[in-house]
Structures are given as C-alpha cells and as structure tokens.
Amino acid sequence: MHIFQSHDKNSSKNKRLGIISALAEEQEGLIQAMQHPERHVHGMREYTVGSLWNVEAVAVLSRIGKVAAAMTAALLVERFGVTHILFTGVAGSADANVRVGDVVIAESLVQHDMDAAPLFPRFEVPLTGLAHLPSDLAMSSRLAGAASTFLEGENGATLHRGLIGSGDQFINDGMRLAALKSALPGLLAVEMEGAAVAQVCFELGIPFAVIRTISDNANETAATDFMAFVKTVASRYAFGIIENYCRSHGA
C-alpha cells in the first residue's frame, strides 16, 4: 500500500481534492471519468486516486453515518494527503422553500443529534466551542458557481446556501423534523455525514465544502423511490457540478 505524502494545504502546488459520497450511486460516473486511476483498499474502503479534469483527486465512498464519514475524511488527509475535501450526496429537505430536486450548499453544518447538556450547550461539539461548523467560504463559493452553471439547464431547480444538519438517523418523521426546525430555525436540509466531515476538517485545518441534492422531504414518504432518485437525478447532478468545479476552478 503506497502511503501518500501530505502537502501544505495553502500551497498553490500539489493540491489534491478528496471527493466523498456515502453511496456508490452518488458518485456514479466520477470513477469512470478519472484519468490514470489507481485503486487502493484500506479500512474496508476503496480509494481511487487519479485526475479529474486536470485536478488531482481521490474519490471514496464513506458509507453511511457520522463515524464512517469521519474515519474516511481523516484517512483522506492523513494517508492520501488530500488538501481539500468535497462531500457530495443527497439530503432531505428541512425547509418549505427547499424542494425535491433543489441543491443545497452548506455554509455551516451542525450535528443535530449532539447533546452533551448540561455539560455543554445543546448542539455544541464538546471542547470546540462550536455548534455550527463553517465550511470553507472560497470552496463553497466556487462550488456555488459551478452548481449555478449546471442548474441553468435544469427546469425549476434552485440553489440554496445555508445550514445543513447531520445525525445518525434517516429522518422520515414530520414531527421529528418540525422539532429540529424549531430548535434550528435556519436549517435547510438533513443528512447523515456532512457535519462529521466538517469536524474532522476543522480540527485538521482542511478546507472543505458540502453539496447536497434534495431527494425527499424528510417525512413519512422519504424512503419512497429514494434510490431511484439517487440513480437518475442526484448522480447526474453531482457529476455535472463536480465537472464544472474542476474545469473552472480546480481544487
């Protein structure tokens, strides 16, 4: 197993973009598009190293949940030397104005199931002093530009930027969602990995961004045709947006 050397994340050279998704369908086409791919298996995950539209990249499936995502992000940095991380996948809507087929880019992320009260305030990640972990502004802005360009060809799809919540639950309960929205009024979407990646990147000093295509309304119908949506819509969105991102801006 070849161990990659880490690079200075602030260097203009030797940038390496880590691309994480939870499900294979969310990265459909990216591995096939990668030039000079090399596959490495470590920690029950397959990392594909190569180049995407002239950007050095490592693509990997984290699998589902915060622990799985955190482990994957840490290994991308420590073993594969990535300097930036992009998480792409699907999420449930947490706002009436965010509709199925829309795209949400995180300005910040919160672990909505984090509650160490009374030792720490609800949602605050212990010993960080933060409840809302901010994404990298430059990366997120570049990603928003790439998404806007892609969505020009999609009828009615809207780009949103704001708060995404992560927890180790698939939210399919309207009452549970309403309670979260009451506690986190700015919440736009819910998923299961992004805030864990955000914490790892915060602690390691790695710029990151999270983009999610809305697959459901996080209510009792959330599981209906979920995988069909991921395969037919979300994977196409992710491929097109990442292509625009790489072609226009690099890592």
Side-chain angles (χ1 to χ4, degrees):
M1 173 74 190
H2 179 66
I3 298 177
F4 292 85
Q5 298 298 314
S6 297
H7 302 293
D8 180 356
K9 65 180 183 296
N10 296 314
S11 173
S12 60
K13 298 181 180 180
N14 297 322
K15 289 185 177 181
R16 180 178 284 128
L17 177 66
I19 302 172
I20 310 175
S21 299
L23 300 170
E25 292 80 4
E26 294 170 333
Q27 279 192 6
E28 187 69 32
L30 284 176
I31 302 301
Q32 293 82 353
M34 191 170 281
Q35 293 182 310
H36 312 297
E38 298 178 6
R39 290 174 174 82
H40 305 268
V41 176
H42 182 70
M44 300 176 68
R45 288 155 177 77
E46 184 175 279
Y47 297 79
T48 304
V49 182
S51 177
L52 281 169
W53 301 287
N54 296 318
V55 172
E56 194 174 340
V58 185
V60 61
L61 303 180
S62 65
R63 302 189 298 185
I64 297 170
K66 293 192 299 176
V67 173
M71 174 181 170
T72 306
L75 284 172
L76 276 173
V77 176
E78 296 299 319
R79 195 174 187 95
F80 292 91
V82 306
T83 59
H84 301 70
I85 288 180
L86 172 60
F87 197 110
T88 177
V90 297
S93 172
D95 189 281
N97 294 317
V98 179
R99 299 168 297 174
V100 172
D102 284 357
V103 171
V104 179
I105 293 175
E107 292 186 341
S108 61
L109 297 105
V110 60
Q111 295 184 42
H112 67 66
D113 56 355
M114 174 64 74
D115 190 353
L119 300 178
F120 298 90
R122 184 183 180 190
F123 305 125
E124 183 174 305
V125 179
L127 307 182
T128 67
L130 295 173
H132 295 194
L133 293 156
S135 62
D136 183 73
L137 180 59
M139 273 192 78
S140 296
S141 295
R142 292 168 182 168
L143 191 60
S148 295
T149 299
F150 176 81
L151 291 177
E152 289 174 0
E154 301 297 321
N155 292 327
T158 302
L159 176 65
H160 308 266
R161 297 180 67 176
L163 179 65
I164 292 178
S166 308
D168 282 323
Q169 304 105 20
F170 182 84
I171 304 295
N172 61 348
D173 181 330
M175 293 183 65
R176 166 85 170 132
L177 180 64
L180 279 178
K181 186 69 172 178
S182 177
L184 297 163
L187 192 65
L188 296 183
V190 288
E191 37 93 307
M192 299 180 68
E193 297 87 21
V197 173
Q199 183 177 342
V200 169
C201 289
F202 169 74
E203 295 184 9
L204 293 178
I206 296 294
F208 77 95
V210 175
I211 184 167
R212 295 286 189 170
T213 302
I214 300 300
S215 60
D216 59 83
N217 292 309
N219 57 21
E220 290 74 9
T221 66
T224 304
D225 295 327
F226 173 80
M227 289 310 303
F229 178 90
V230 174
K231 291 178 181 178
T232 60
V233 179
S235 61
R236 182 169 56 84
Y237 277 31
F239 184 92
I241 292 169
I242 291 174
E243 179 179 3
N244 286 348
Y245 179 88
C246 291
R247 287 188 183 279
S248 300
H249 304 288

